Amino acid sequence: MEHPERFEASKSSEGRYRMLIDAVTDYAIYMLDPEGIVVSWNPGAKRFKGYDKSEIIGQHFSRFYTEDDRKSGLPGRALEIANREGKFENEGWHVRKDGSKFWAFVIIDPIRDSAGKLIGFAKITRDLTERQKAEAALRESQEQFRLLVQGVTDYAIYMLNREGLVSSWNAGAQRIKGYAPEEIIGRHFSCFYTEEDRQAGLPQQTIEIAKREGRHEREGWRVRKDGTKFFANVVIDAIHNPDGSLLGFAKITRDITERRNAARELEETREVLLQAQKMEAIGHLTGVIAHDFNNLLMAIQGSLELLRRRLPGSDPKIAQLIDNALQGTQRGTALTQRMLAFARRQELTLAPLDVRDIVRRMTNLLQSSLGPSIGIETEFPPKLPKVNADANQLELAILNLAINGRDAMPKGGKITIAATEHSDLPELRPGRYLCIRVTDTGIGMDEDTLNRATEPFFTTKGVGKGTGLGLPMVHGMAEQSGGKLVLKSRLGYGTTAELFLPVAPSAAESPDEDKTFGMRTAPQKRLTILTVDDDPLVALNTSALLEELGHTVYSVPSGMHALDILRRKGDIDLLITDQLMPGMTGAELASTIRANRPELPIILATGYAELAPGEGKGIPRLSKPFSQQDLADAIARAVRA
Ligand SMILES: Nc1ncnc2c1ncn2[C@@H]1O[C@H](COP(=O)(O)OP(=O)(O)OP(=O)(O)O)[C@@H](O)[C@H]1O
Ligand SMILES: [Mg+2]
């Protein structure tokens, strides 16, 4: 049916336009007369707006506008503008026949006859609802993304342009780096780097790598606005335009200072633990060796003393040899004492001590030990509390530290001994402490030496010069006394040894009571003495020394044997017992005996601070190794007591 009609129409040019317009369904194309009455209608118009041709021709076009637009006079204005300016363009909501709305792009052109008289308007409308929706969705997602990035506070997320100038800034960036957006946008990102990193060209390098490889990750110190530093994990990505040209860089920075610190602390703790375990093992070994060695020395020393006394005639050469040997045993004894001190198995006689007094008494000794090229200074505040320590051990410790200072100053220098009070120190029980500080102006120690200085047998002084037991002795003595030794040193900057010792409880102000002065012994009466020792060598030696002093000796190897003898023999005047023995300790033996024979004098011989606190309390002690004189003194005290 339509064919012939179309054919007819196509014959004229007007007909061809008609056909074209009728074929267009993506645009509403229709005409208005000068008043705005619809005079033609195409299928596109029908599709968008819903009206049939017959329904709409003859109607005013303002019905396509919204209520509001109609009220504001937009339809009339549109025609007026089109007429006046030759074209009207607009985007806005239009209304369909069913009342629903669509977003339309509208062009209105005036149509004039050849004389220029307005004969109507051509109106082209396009439905942009889909595009508008897509754009709105895009805008929304961009906005959401922007809000998301903005809102992140744990990460600094920002953009740099191609030159490295900051072009965006989020809340995290502000929080981590301290700059407000207006302070930083437009500035070069190298201001986040340390001076050294900037000098080394790190910012530029970072950008270059990101450009080349697309992405670059780094960790390092960065600087906040206020100049403080934080440890950062930084990821930088190159961002490209759709055409592949470089747009700039996205940077994500995280503050990982805390994580890094935690990791470092863990590492350090592990290190300290390892060191502590090592020292514990060495301490144990040293203690065991020192103990056995002590017994050997005792036997040698005792035998030598007896030998010298029993020497037929008096050959001075032989006497000299024996004296040399005895000196050797004394040196050995001093060594084992230091080893025992390190192993914290020293017999300590704790008493309140005035450090100032002790140092004053040591002045001559220090002066002669250190030599004329070394000055000694002391710095004590006027009021100094007493420390709870063993007088002999404290003197030895100070001497050891001072001699270390001397050895570090071959060309001379100064040693300062000072004391200050502290309280509640790390690693130590809460309470008051005195810090005795020995400082030298010597060569100092490198890190490795400093770390190993308190290890037993560690020395840098060469074979035969240092034993490497000086600091271990001080360390062990400090720990056994409830304090600690802290060494501070830098190569080339001298050394400070800090010896922390607990302040004596103020109630115990009378220090002299417990002190054991070496008193000369009055001639003794002959006694019957029972000795108990599981080490036959020591037992033999003790018996020999006692017999030479004129006593009668029974010697047994264990506590059980001793109890047996005591039960059978009523004439024992005195018991001398070793502490550490299999089966029954000396202290246990003593308390068993005390239950039946409280009047029997007992001496506990031990080179070993193996006595638990309170154990063997009130029993006179004899430190191993002991000389004949020590033995005689101890017997005199025990019998008199
Ligand atoms: N004041 C100091 N200045 C520099 N280095 C020191 C100082 N004190 C100790 N050291 C270093 O620590 C090491 C161990 O010291 P320590 O006192 O334990 O043993 P030593 O002095 O070598 O031997 P010893 O004390 O038994 O004669 C020394 O060899 C030395 O390297
Ligand atoms: Mg030393």
Side-chain angles (χ1 to χ4, degrees), residues 483-512:
K484 64 175 176 178
L485 171 69
V486 178
L487 293 175
K488 294 178 176 165
S489 188
R490 253 176 77 201
L491 204 58
Y493 290 91
T495 301
T496 296
E498 297 181 334
L499 177 58
F500 290 92
L501 292 171
V503 166
S506 46
E509 273 308 341
S510 50
D512 294 329

Side-chain angles (χ1 to χ4, degrees), residues 136-153:
L138 182 65
R139 262 202 308 277
E140 197 182 336
S141 94
Q142 279 175 341
E143 178 64 10
Q144 274 175 355
F145 187 68
R146 197 183 65 79
L147 287 174
L148 173 75
V149 169
Q150 261 315 316
V152 170
T153 55

Side-chain angles (χ1 to χ4, degrees), residues 7-56:
F7 180 72
E8 282 306 312
S10 72
K11 282 199 287 196
S12 65
S13 80
E14 192 195 336
R16 276 201 295 277
Y17 280 123
R18 220 329 3 102
M19 275 176 66
L20 177 69
I21 287 169
D22 281 349
V24 171
T25 55
D26 284 345
Y27 293 80
I29 305 174
Y30 54 98
M31 273 186 61
L32 308 176
D33 73 4
E35 300 340 301
I37 303 294
V38 178
V39 294
S40 80
W41 201 242
N42 83 331
K46 183 185 168 190
R47 191 167 78 86
F48 292 171
K49 312 218 186 198
Y51 297 97
D52 266 335
K53 208 174 187 170
S54 55
E55 289 176 296
I56 197 67

Side-chain angles (χ1 to χ4, degrees), residues 338 399-405 407 453 458-459 461 465-472 474:
R338 286 168 134 199
L399 189 63
N400 268 319
L401 295 177
I403 287 177
N404 278 352
D407 293 347
F458 174 81
T459 178
K461 292 178 185 166
K465 290 204 175 122
T467 63
L469 281 170
L471 289 177
V474 182

Side-chain angles (χ1 to χ4, degrees), residues 55 84 86 112 114 123 134 140 198 229-230 237 265 279 312 321 326 359-360 432 442-443 461 484 511 573 577 589 634:
E55 289 176 296
R84 193 174 57 222
R112 299 176 195 281
S114 45
K123 194 163 180 259
E140 197 182 336
R198 262 204 303 276
K229 289 183 185 162
F230 66 101
D237 282 283
E265 263 165 37
M279 291 302 255
L321 287 176
L326 269 170
V359 173
R360 198 180 294 139
R432 296 162 69 205
I443 54 171
K461 292 178 185 166
K484 64 175 176 178
D573 300 313
T577 177
L589 174 63

Side-chain angles (χ1 to χ4, degrees), residues 35 37 54 134 138 176 187 201 250 262 346 364 369 390 431 449 461 471 482 489 504 536 565 603 608 640:
E35 300 340 301
I37 303 294
S54 55
L138 182 65
I176 293 174
R187 280 182 64 185
Q346 183 84 329
N364 285 340
S369 310
D390 180 302
T449 308
K461 292 178 185 166
L471 289 177
S489 188
I565 295 265
I603 294 172
Y608 229 93
R640 212 177 30 193

